[in-house]
Amino acid sequence: MVVDPEHATVNGRTRSIRPQWSHRELADELRTRIRSGVLRPGQRMPTQAKLADEFGMERGAVRQALRILQSERLLTNMSKGSPATVAPDLGLALTGPGAPPQPTMVGLGPRISEAFAQPHVEIEALCLTAVSLQLAVGEPLRQIHAGRLKPATVDVRVLLPSSDIDLAFPARVDAPADSRLQRRWLAQRNAQGQVLKHNLLALRATHGIDVHITFRALPFTPPVKLYLLNGSEALFAYYTLTQREAEIGHEQVEMYDAEGTQSMLFAFEQGAGLRDTTFVEQSQLWFNALWETISSELTLTPTS
């Protein structure tokens, strides 16, 4: 049998000889094999060495591709010693760059974990409170403590509303004199920020990771939230307000709830097309401009 020099067969699949694949292209190809059933639920993946040989790639790029699929819950049991496994329940998996928006607490966690798989982690957030970010870093922190991840540096910058302004929400606009909701929000903002800061800075002592986390205050109530991950991904969501009652001091108080953990998160990746790339770049420019111009020093002091 004469093999066309333009093609070669590896593991029963025919591939074209082409310039080296990017890690995103490899992730797309492996995702297609999983979705089409070529790679079945519970099946061991080919080794990184075999994938590197098949696609003409460096092993580092192969690992990046596999981590993307792990963050999408398509792969499990990733470790240095053995190949990953296709997830046994693909119904729980995300669907890659073209995935529909997910609630913040569904979509943010896997992407934060993927960001922590890099040697140098950069996370920037603009939000009403740090609760979603604080919860999302829980899994990568567990992976670090288990010895599965060890970034060299972690840099986190967070923009939050100032405590010196009247918030547009959660207090009702027609009841600005009632400061109880603002005091409760301030206590929550400070507590969540302090927990996030403490948990990240603890990595210095426990694992020797160079960690920096800084908070700055905005002079307005943000109607949207934004997360920037390693300069390559932007996650964007709207705060959609609902009117409800909250109990404060045994009294029912009308409020506007932002329900930030349930806000639908839209993902944009640099390199996933001109539209996505431009959104990531402009989001980074916008965040930096706010940080360097109208934001001010923020101290997360306890409230009485």
Side-chain angles (χ1 to χ4, degrees):
M1 177 180 177
V2 178
V3 178
D4 182 343
E6 291 288 320
H7 299 81
T9 301
V10 180
N11 294 335
R13 291 183 61 86
T14 299
R15 65 178 177 88
S16 298
I17 303 300
R18 49 162 289 168
Q20 181 170 315
W21 290 54
S22 72
H23 68 279
R24 287 192 175 89
E25 289 173 323
L26 177 57
D28 290 342
E29 170 63 16
L30 295 178
R31 188 185 300 110
T32 298
R33 294 187 187 185
I34 292 171
R35 291 295 185 191
S36 65
V38 173
L39 293 168
R40 300 180 302 280
Q43 180 180 345
R44 281 285 185 88
M45 292 288 292
T47 64
Q48 293 179 15
K50 288 182 178 178
L51 290 171
D53 178 65
E54 177 177 354
F55 293 95
M57 300 172 63
E58 299 293 332
R59 290 198 191 183
V62 172
R63 283 193 294 273
Q64 283 183 283
L66 295 177
R67 285 170 182 155
I68 289 174
L69 299 184
Q70 181 187 34
S71 74
E72 295 171 6
R73 306 178 196 172
L74 289 169
L75 297 181
T76 61
N77 301 327
M78 279 191 62
S79 67
K80 294 180 179 179
S82 60
T85 302
V86 179
D89 188 353
L90 296 179
L92 299 177
L94 307 179
T95 57
Q102 301 277 342
T104 296
M105 288 316 301
V106 176
L108 183 60
R111 289 177 167 90
I112 293 288
S113 294
E114 171 65 20
F116 268 82
Q118 303 304 313
H120 303 287
V121 181
E122 294 183 9
I123 296 175
E124 291 152 321
L126 181 152
C127 40
L128 185 65
T129 71
V131 60
S132 296
L133 182 58
Q134 177 226 323
L135 294 172
V137 301
E139 180 57 29
L141 291 181
R142 285 189 288 272
Q143 295 290 327
I144 289 172
H145 292 309
R148 299 188 185 98
L149 293 175
K150 188 173 181 181
T153 64
V154 176
D155 290 297
V156 178
R157 299 194 298 171
V158 183
L159 287 170
L160 296 171
S162 170
S163 56
D164 299 326
I165 63 172
D166 290 328
L167 294 172
F169 53 87
R172 285 173 48 129
V173 176
D174 58 358
D178 192 342
S179 62
R180 289 173 294 177
L181 285 169
Q182 175 130 345
R183 290 199 303 269
R184 187 177 74 166
W185 165 83
L186 182 60
Q188 292 172 340
R189 184 205 69 175
N190 290 344
Q192 291 154 1
Q194 287 171 333
V195 170
L196 175 65
K197 185 174 183 179
H198 171 80
N199 289 343
L200 288 173
L201 291 180
L203 297 176
R204 288 180 181 174
T206 57
H207 297 280
I209 298 173
D210 185 16
V211 177
H212 299 274
I213 177 167
T214 310
F215 296 86
R216 288 187 68 80
L218 292 170
F220 62 88
T221 309
V224 298
K225 60 167 65 178
L226 174 70
Y227 304 96
L228 299 166
L229 309 181
N230 291 343
S232 63
E233 189 169 15
L235 308 174
F236 177 88
Y238 297 100
Y239 285 117
T240 302
L241 304 181
T242 57
Q243 185 173 341
R244 68 176 182 86
E245 290 186 343
E247 183 175 336
I248 299 180
H250 305 292
E251 182 181 345
Q252 295 299 116
V253 178
E254 292 285 340
M255 67 173 290
Y256 292 130
D257 192 347
E259 298 182 340
T261 58
Q262 296 303 311
S263 298
M264 300 301 286
L265 204 61
F266 296 80
F268 301 84
E269 288 188 54
Q270 194 156 32
L274 180 60
R275 182 171 175 272
D276 275 38
T277 296
T278 303
F279 187 90
V280 174
E281 292 174 350
Q282 291 299 310
S283 296
Q284 187 70 66
L285 288 172
W286 183 63
F287 184 94
N288 289 342
L290 292 176
W291 187 272
E292 295 164 4
T293 58
I294 63 173
S295 70
S296 58
E297 184 178 353
L298 173 61
T299 303
L300 300 170
T301 54
T303 59
S304 56

